mmCIF file of all heavy atoms in Angstrom:
data_model
loop_
_atom_site.group_PDB
_atom_site.id
_atom_site.type_symbol
_atom_site.label_atom_id
_atom_site.label_comp_id
_atom_site.label_asym_id
_atom_site.label_seq_id
_atom_site.Cartn_x
_atom_site.Cartn_y
_atom_site.Cartn_z
ATOM 1 N N ILE A 1 118.492 78.570 20.267
ATOM 2 C CA ILE A 1 117.305 77.824 19.870
ATOM 3 C C ILE A 1 117.708 76.373 19.629
ATOM 4 O O ILE A 1 118.042 75.973 18.517
ATOM 5 C CB ILE A 1 116.617 78.468 18.643
ATOM 6 C CG1 ILE A 1 115.343 77.692 18.279
ATOM 7 C CG2 ILE A 1 117.573 78.586 17.462
ATOM 8 C CD1 ILE A 1 114.461 78.438 17.272
ATOM 9 N N PRO A 2 117.688 75.575 20.671
ATOM 10 C CA PRO A 2 118.035 74.168 20.514
ATOM 11 C C PRO A 2 116.951 73.403 19.767
ATOM 12 O O PRO A 2 115.783 73.793 19.777
ATOM 13 C CB PRO A 2 118.162 73.667 21.948
ATOM 14 C CG PRO A 2 117.520 74.695 22.813
ATOM 15 C CD PRO A 2 117.357 75.948 22.052
ATOM 16 N N SER A 3 117.341 72.338 19.113
ATOM 17 C CA SER A 3 116.363 71.501 18.435
ATOM 18 C C SER A 3 115.481 70.830 19.477
ATOM 19 O O SER A 3 115.985 70.188 20.403
ATOM 20 C CB SER A 3 117.056 70.457 17.557
ATOM 21 O OG SER A 3 117.896 69.619 18.341
ATOM 22 N N GLY A 4 114.188 71.002 19.329
ATOM 23 C CA GLY A 4 113.248 70.392 20.252
ATOM 24 C C GLY A 4 113.193 71.026 21.623
ATOM 25 O O GLY A 4 112.579 70.476 22.535
ATOM 26 N N GLY A 5 113.827 72.188 21.783
ATOM 27 C CA GLY A 5 113.841 72.859 23.068
ATOM 28 C C GLY A 5 113.296 74.267 23.000
ATOM 29 O O GLY A 5 112.979 74.783 21.928
ATOM 30 N N SER A 6 113.198 74.888 24.138
ATOM 31 C CA SER A 6 112.690 76.253 24.230
ATOM 32 C C SER A 6 113.792 77.255 23.917
ATOM 33 O O SER A 6 114.959 77.046 24.248
ATOM 34 C CB SER A 6 112.133 76.520 25.621
ATOM 35 O OG SER A 6 111.071 75.640 25.935
ATOM 36 N N THR A 7 113.404 78.351 23.295
ATOM 37 C CA THR A 7 114.348 79.428 23.044
ATOM 38 C C THR A 7 114.690 80.119 24.349
ATOM 39 O O THR A 7 113.914 80.102 25.306
ATOM 40 C CB THR A 7 113.779 80.452 22.062
ATOM 41 O OG1 THR A 7 112.549 80.976 22.589
ATOM 42 C CG2 THR A 7 113.490 79.804 20.713
ATOM 43 N N ASN A 8 115.855 80.730 24.395
ATOM 44 C CA ASN A 8 116.229 81.501 25.562
ATOM 45 C C ASN A 8 117.022 82.716 25.126
ATOM 46 O O ASN A 8 117.674 82.712 24.078
ATOM 47 C CB ASN A 8 117.009 80.647 26.579
ATOM 48 C CG ASN A 8 118.300 80.098 26.025
ATOM 49 O OD1 ASN A 8 119.355 80.718 26.153
ATOM 50 N ND2 ASN A 8 118.229 78.926 25.399
ATOM 51 N N TYR A 9 116.957 83.768 25.947
ATOM 52 C CA TYR A 9 117.524 85.051 25.593
ATOM 53 C C TYR A 9 118.257 85.664 26.765
ATOM 54 O O TYR A 9 117.924 85.418 27.930
ATOM 55 C CB TYR A 9 116.424 86.030 25.162
ATOM 56 C CG TYR A 9 115.614 85.577 23.981
ATOM 57 C CD1 TYR A 9 114.475 84.799 24.152
ATOM 58 C CD2 TYR A 9 115.982 85.932 22.689
ATOM 59 C CE1 TYR A 9 113.725 84.379 23.066
ATOM 60 C CE2 TYR A 9 115.236 85.517 21.596
ATOM 61 C CZ TYR A 9 114.112 84.738 21.793
ATOM 62 O OH TYR A 9 113.375 84.329 20.708
ATOM 63 N N ALA A 10 119.239 86.479 26.433
ATOM 64 C CA ALA A 10 119.857 87.305 27.448
ATOM 65 C C ALA A 10 118.837 88.307 27.967
ATOM 66 O O ALA A 10 117.967 88.764 27.224
ATOM 67 C CB ALA A 10 121.068 88.039 26.882
ATOM 68 N N ASP A 11 118.941 88.643 29.241
ATOM 69 C CA ASP A 11 117.987 89.575 29.833
ATOM 70 C C ASP A 11 117.944 90.908 29.081
ATOM 71 O O ASP A 11 116.888 91.535 28.966
ATOM 72 C CB ASP A 11 118.328 89.830 31.299
ATOM 73 C CG ASP A 11 118.042 88.632 32.181
ATOM 74 O OD1 ASP A 11 117.255 87.760 31.772
ATOM 75 O OD2 ASP A 11 118.602 88.578 33.291
ATOM 76 N N SER A 12 119.062 91.326 28.553
ATOM 77 C CA SER A 12 119.153 92.620 27.903
ATOM 78 C C SER A 12 118.383 92.700 26.589
ATOM 79 O O SER A 12 118.111 93.805 26.100
ATOM 80 C CB SER A 12 120.617 92.986 27.652
ATOM 81 O OG SER A 12 121.245 92.019 26.835
ATOM 82 N N VAL A 13 118.014 91.550 26.008
ATOM 83 C CA VAL A 13 117.323 91.559 24.720
ATOM 84 C C VAL A 13 115.930 90.964 24.788
ATOM 85 O O VAL A 13 115.216 90.963 23.774
ATOM 86 C CB VAL A 13 118.138 90.828 23.634
ATOM 87 C CG1 VAL A 13 119.552 91.391 23.556
ATOM 88 C CG2 VAL A 13 118.171 89.328 23.893
ATOM 89 N N LYS A 14 115.527 90.473 25.938
ATOM 90 C CA LYS A 14 114.203 89.877 26.071
ATOM 91 C C LYS A 14 113.113 90.877 25.713
ATOM 92 O O LYS A 14 113.148 92.027 26.132
ATOM 93 C CB LYS A 14 113.989 89.370 27.499
ATOM 94 C CG LYS A 14 114.753 88.108 27.826
ATOM 95 C CD LYS A 14 114.466 87.645 29.251
ATOM 96 C CE LYS A 14 115.215 86.368 29.570
ATOM 97 N NZ LYS A 14 114.993 85.937 30.976
ATOM 98 N N GLY A 15 112.162 90.422 24.916
ATOM 99 C CA GLY A 15 111.076 91.274 24.486
ATOM 100 C C GLY A 15 111.380 92.083 23.251
ATOM 101 O O GLY A 15 110.467 92.693 22.679
ATOM 102 N N ARG A 16 112.632 92.104 22.832
ATOM 103 C CA ARG A 16 113.023 92.872 21.652
ATOM 104 C C ARG A 16 113.550 91.989 20.521
ATOM 105 O O ARG A 16 113.320 92.285 19.348
ATOM 106 C CB ARG A 16 114.096 93.902 22.016
ATOM 107 C CG ARG A 16 113.642 94.929 23.048
ATOM 108 C CD ARG A 16 114.672 96.035 23.211
ATOM 109 N NE ARG A 16 115.937 95.533 23.731
ATOM 110 C CZ ARG A 16 117.110 95.639 23.104
ATOM 111 N NH1 ARG A 16 117.166 96.243 21.924
ATOM 112 N NH2 ARG A 16 118.209 95.170 23.652
ATOM 113 N N PHE A 17 114.271 90.941 20.871
ATOM 114 C CA PHE A 17 114.877 90.060 19.872
ATOM 115 C C PHE A 17 114.121 88.744 19.804
ATOM 116 O O PHE A 17 113.607 88.254 20.820
ATOM 117 C CB PHE A 17 116.332 89.758 20.223
ATOM 118 C CG PHE A 17 117.275 90.922 20.092
ATOM 119 C CD1 PHE A 17 116.820 92.214 19.879
ATOM 120 C CD2 PHE A 17 118.641 90.708 20.192
ATOM 121 C CE1 PHE A 17 117.696 93.282 19.770
ATOM 122 C CE2 PHE A 17 119.533 91.765 20.081
ATOM 123 C CZ PHE A 17 119.059 93.052 19.872
ATOM 124 N N THR A 18 114.087 88.154 18.620
ATOM 125 C CA THR A 18 113.472 86.854 18.423
ATOM 126 C C THR A 18 114.381 85.979 17.571
ATOM 127 O O THR A 18 114.769 86.372 16.473
ATOM 128 C CB THR A 18 112.100 86.975 17.740
ATOM 129 O OG1 THR A 18 111.238 87.805 18.519
ATOM 130 C CG2 THR A 18 111.460 85.594 17.592
ATOM 131 N N ILE A 19 114.703 84.809 18.086
ATOM 132 C CA ILE A 19 115.512 83.870 17.334
ATOM 133 C C ILE A 19 114.595 82.824 16.705
ATOM 134 O O ILE A 19 113.612 82.399 17.312
ATOM 135 C CB ILE A 19 116.584 83.207 18.230
ATOM 136 C CG1 ILE A 19 117.546 82.363 17.387
ATOM 137 C CG2 ILE A 19 115.946 82.369 19.331
ATOM 138 C CD1 ILE A 19 118.758 81.870 18.171
ATOM 139 N N SER A 20 114.912 82.428 15.483
ATOM 140 C CA SER A 20 114.139 81.411 14.785
ATOM 141 C C SER A 20 115.066 80.635 13.858
ATOM 142 O O SER A 20 116.211 81.034 13.639
ATOM 143 C CB SER A 20 112.980 82.034 14.002
ATOM 144 O OG SER A 20 113.459 82.930 13.016
ATOM 145 N N ARG A 21 114.559 79.543 13.322
ATOM 146 C CA ARG A 21 115.382 78.741 12.425
ATOM 147 C C ARG A 21 114.537 78.133 11.323
ATOM 148 O O ARG A 21 113.345 77.861 11.501
ATOM 149 C CB ARG A 21 116.130 77.644 13.197
ATOM 150 C CG ARG A 21 115.222 76.667 13.927
ATOM 151 C CD ARG A 21 116.010 75.810 14.917
ATOM 152 N NE ARG A 21 116.849 74.822 14.254
ATOM 153 C CZ ARG A 21 117.697 74.013 14.890
ATOM 154 N NH1 ARG A 21 117.835 74.102 16.214
ATOM 155 N NH2 ARG A 21 118.418 73.130 14.206
ATOM 156 N N ASP A 22 115.162 77.930 10.182
ATOM 157 C CA ASP A 22 114.555 77.266 9.048
ATOM 158 C C ASP A 22 115.412 76.039 8.770
ATOM 159 O O ASP A 22 116.479 76.142 8.167
ATOM 160 C CB ASP A 22 114.505 78.192 7.836
ATOM 161 C CG ASP A 22 113.766 77.587 6.663
ATOM 162 O OD1 ASP A 22 113.684 76.355 6.565
ATOM 163 O OD2 ASP A 22 113.261 78.354 5.823
ATOM 164 N N ASN A 23 114.946 74.903 9.220
ATOM 165 C CA ASN A 23 115.746 73.692 9.105
ATOM 166 C C ASN A 23 115.974 73.268 7.650
ATOM 167 O O ASN A 23 117.013 72.693 7.329
ATOM 168 C CB ASN A 23 115.085 72.559 9.884
ATOM 169 C CG ASN A 23 115.112 72.792 11.379
ATOM 170 O OD1 ASN A 23 116.057 73.372 11.908
ATOM 171 N ND2 ASN A 23 114.078 72.333 12.078
ATOM 172 N N ALA A 24 115.008 73.546 6.787
ATOM 173 C CA ALA A 24 115.152 73.190 5.378
ATOM 174 C C ALA A 24 116.288 73.958 4.719
ATOM 175 O O ALA A 24 116.890 73.489 3.753
ATOM 176 C CB ALA A 24 113.851 73.429 4.632
ATOM 177 N N LYS A 25 116.577 75.146 5.231
ATOM 178 C CA LYS A 25 117.633 75.990 4.678
ATOM 179 C C LYS A 25 118.891 76.008 5.533
ATOM 180 O O LYS A 25 119.843 76.713 5.205
ATOM 181 C CB LYS A 25 117.127 77.424 4.504
ATOM 182 C CG LYS A 25 115.970 77.560 3.538
ATOM 183 C CD LYS A 25 115.523 79.011 3.428
ATOM 184 C CE LYS A 25 114.380 79.162 2.450
ATOM 185 N NZ LYS A 25 113.928 80.573 2.340
ATOM 186 N N ASN A 26 118.890 75.248 6.618
ATOM 187 C CA ASN A 26 120.017 75.243 7.554
ATOM 188 C C ASN A 26 120.390 76.659 7.977
ATOM 189 O O ASN A 26 121.568 77.028 8.024
ATOM 190 C CB ASN A 26 121.232 74.545 6.938
ATOM 191 C CG ASN A 26 121.062 73.044 6.847
ATOM 192 O OD1 ASN A 26 120.256 72.444 7.564
ATOM 193 N ND2 ASN A 26 121.831 72.418 5.971
ATOM 194 N N THR A 27 119.381 77.435 8.298
ATOM 195 C CA THR A 27 119.576 78.846 8.583
ATOM 196 C C THR A 27 118.948 79.229 9.916
ATOM 197 O O THR A 27 117.850 78.777 10.246
ATOM 198 C CB THR A 27 118.975 79.713 7.468
ATOM 199 O OG1 THR A 27 119.620 79.399 6.228
ATOM 200 C CG2 THR A 27 119.167 81.191 7.763
ATOM 201 N N VAL A 28 119.647 80.069 10.654
ATOM 202 C CA VAL A 28 119.132 80.637 11.885
ATOM 203 C C VAL A 28 119.025 82.147 11.701
ATOM 204 O O VAL A 28 119.867 82.769 11.042
ATOM 205 C CB VAL A 28 120.023 80.284 13.097
ATOM 206 C CG1 VAL A 28 121.436 80.823 12.926
ATOM 207 C CG2 VAL A 28 119.397 80.787 14.387
ATOM 208 N N TYR A 29 117.977 82.731 12.270
ATOM 209 C CA TYR A 29 117.720 84.152 12.143
ATOM 210 C C TYR A 29 117.676 84.806 13.515
ATOM 211 O O TYR A 29 117.384 84.166 14.520
ATOM 212 C CB TYR A 29 116.382 84.407 11.451
ATOM 213 C CG TYR A 29 116.238 83.744 10.109
ATOM 214 C CD1 TYR A 29 115.631 82.492 9.993
ATOM 215 C CD2 TYR A 29 116.699 84.358 8.950
ATOM 216 C CE1 TYR A 29 115.491 81.879 8.766
ATOM 217 C CE2 TYR A 29 116.561 83.753 7.717
ATOM 218 C CZ TYR A 29 115.956 82.514 7.629
ATOM 219 O OH TYR A 29 115.818 81.914 6.399
ATOM 220 N N LEU A 30 117.943 86.087 13.518
ATOM 221 C CA LEU A 30 117.767 86.888 14.715
ATOM 222 C C LEU A 30 117.064 88.176 14.314
ATOM 223 O O LEU A 30 117.669 89.044 13.683
ATOM 224 C CB LEU A 30 119.102 87.201 15.394
ATOM 225 C CG LEU A 30 119.003 87.936 16.735
ATOM 226 C CD1 LEU A 30 118.363 87.033 17.786
ATOM 227 C CD2 LEU A 30 120.370 88.420 17.195
ATOM 228 N N GLN A 31 115.786 88.268 14.653
ATOM 229 C CA GLN A 31 115.029 89.486 14.414
ATOM 230 C C GLN A 31 115.254 90.426 15.583
ATOM 231 O O GLN A 31 114.946 90.077 16.728
ATOM 232 C CB GLN A 31 113.538 89.177 14.268
ATOM 233 C CG GLN A 31 112.661 90.398 14.047
ATOM 234 C CD GLN A 31 112.920 91.068 12.729
ATOM 235 O OE1 GLN A 31 113.038 90.401 11.702
ATOM 236 N NE2 GLN A 31 113.028 92.390 12.735
ATOM 237 N N MET A 32 115.789 91.592 15.305
ATOM 238 C CA MET A 32 116.134 92.551 16.343
ATOM 239 C C MET A 32 115.275 93.792 16.166
ATOM 240 O O MET A 32 115.425 94.535 15.196
ATOM 241 C CB MET A 32 117.617 92.909 16.276
ATOM 242 C CG MET A 32 118.543 91.703 16.363
ATOM 243 S SD MET A 32 120.289 92.179 16.396
ATOM 244 C CE MET A 32 120.459 92.868 14.749
ATOM 245 N N ASN A 33 114.376 94.008 17.101
ATOM 246 C CA ASN A 33 113.503 95.171 17.093
ATOM 247 C C ASN A 33 113.869 96.101 18.235
ATOM 248 O O ASN A 33 114.469 95.690 19.228
ATOM 249 C CB ASN A 33 112.042 94.750 17.221
ATOM 250 C CG ASN A 33 111.567 93.889 16.083
ATOM 251 O OD1 ASN A 33 112.005 94.045 14.944
ATOM 252 N ND2 ASN A 33 110.649 92.968 16.374
ATOM 253 N N GLY A 34 113.481 97.345 18.097
ATOM 254 C CA GLY A 34 113.750 98.319 19.147
ATOM 255 C C GLY A 34 115.219 98.400 19.509
ATOM 256 O O GLY A 34 115.574 98.418 20.691
ATOM 257 N N LEU A 35 116.062 98.459 18.502
ATOM 258 C CA LEU A 35 117.500 98.455 18.739
ATOM 259 C C LEU A 35 117.946 99.669 19.545
ATOM 260 O O LEU A 35 117.425 100.768 19.382
ATOM 261 C CB LEU A 35 118.252 98.394 17.422
ATOM 262 C CG LEU A 35 118.274 97.011 16.768
ATOM 263 C CD1 LEU A 35 118.660 97.113 15.301
ATOM 264 C CD2 LEU A 35 119.236 96.098 17.515
#
């Protein structure tokens, strides 16, 4: 998840994982569903 850019994913996780970030907390997250 680049700053000011589009997110991108490996083909194997597309539709299941979501990357996000909280700039105020300097934190990046990875929500993993359907593991």
Side-chain angles (χ1 to χ4, degrees):
I1 182 168
S3 60
S6 300
T7 58
N8 61 92
Y9 301 89
D11 289 340
S12 59
V13 307
K14 286 181 179 177
R16 299 188 296 121
F17 291 10
T18 302
I19 188 171
S20 61
R21 60 193 288 176
D22 185 336
N23 292 326
K25 298 180 179 180
N26 288 338
T27 300
V28 61
Y29 305 94
L30 185 67
Q31 179 67 45
M32 304 184 294
N33 298 327
L35 283 163

